[in-house]
Amino acid sequence: MKDSKKPARKTTGINEPAEAFTAEERAAMKERAKEVKASARRLSRAEKAAEEEAAVVAKIAEMPEPDRVLAERLHAIAKETAPDLAPRLWYGMPAYAKEGKIVFFFQAAQKFNTRYATLGFSDKANLDDGAMWPAAYALTGLTPAAEAQIAALVKKAVS
């Protein structure tokens, strides 16, 4: 007699599509693709810089409160502290670049349905301090002390 055991039926849903990215993440990736396509247009450096800053200002204006207030202040701090940084959109959010490389960025809380907005720094930021240092900060509001701390971080990041 042959043993005719059947393999156990898998209940992990292998044939069901896994949601690898959230709807918000997919939207951010689509925005990034648009940004890359727009930056590939042939414009003079000054025209491109003006267009990218206008896009950042427009994106900030679209944000709901309180994210808009935070983004407006961060934009002002960036312009005052590091005027050589180029504002541009990065995954649909305001970011600031040096020599084409993102140094820091703002991520609105409502963009990814999070509890707080984020100020993040890339590996291009000169913030290295020993074996470990923060690369992102949660923002729930901006006090004068917090603004001074952000200005100091931005200044150090571009040094």
Side-chain angles (χ1 to χ4, degrees):
M1 284 178 119
K2 257 188 179 177
D3 192 354
S4 60
K5 285 187 180 179
K6 292 183 180 179
R9 187 175 182 141
K10 295 183 179 181
T11 59
T12 58
I14 290 174
N15 291 331
E16 296 174 17
E19 288 296 321
F21 298 104
T22 65
E24 292 84 6
E25 290 169 330
R26 284 192 301 276
M29 287 185 284
K30 286 180 183 178
E31 285 187 70
R32 181 67 183 136
K34 286 180 191 174
E35 294 160 13
V36 169
K37 187 176 181 180
S39 70
R41 291 194 326 229
R42 295 177 191 247
L43 298 173
S44 73
R45 190 171 290 190
E47 289 172 325
K48 192 175 278 193
E51 188 175 272
E52 288 177 344
E53 182 163 8
V56 167
V57 170
K59 184 58 79 171
I60 291 170
E62 291 173 6
M63 291 178 187
E65 295 273 346
D67 289 332
R68 184 176 66 248
V69 173
L70 293 172
E72 287 171 345
R73 283 303 305 141
L74 287 174
H75 185 71
I77 290 168
K79 298 295 283 177
E80 293 164 8
T81 307
D84 57 323
L85 288 180
R88 58 188 265 204
L89 291 176
W90 191 56
Y91 293 97
M93 290 285 105
Y96 301 85
K98 181 178 181 180
E99 299 171 3
K101 305 290 184 186
I102 300 297
V103 175
F104 74 96
F105 60 91
F106 173 76
Q107 184 178 1
Q110 293 193 337
K111 173 88 172 173
F112 293 102
N113 298 319
T114 58
R115 188 168 55 110
Y116 48 78
T118 305
L119 169 64
F121 291 87
S122 76
D123 61 333
K124 303 300 179 205
N126 293 323
L127 296 177
D128 302 22
D129 186 19
M132 187 171 93
W133 58 90
Y137 296 83
L139 296 176
T140 57
L142 289 178
T143 63
E147 288 185 13
Q149 185 179 3
I150 291 168
L153 283 168
V154 169
K155 194 174 214 172
K156 184 177 179 185
V158 298
S159 65

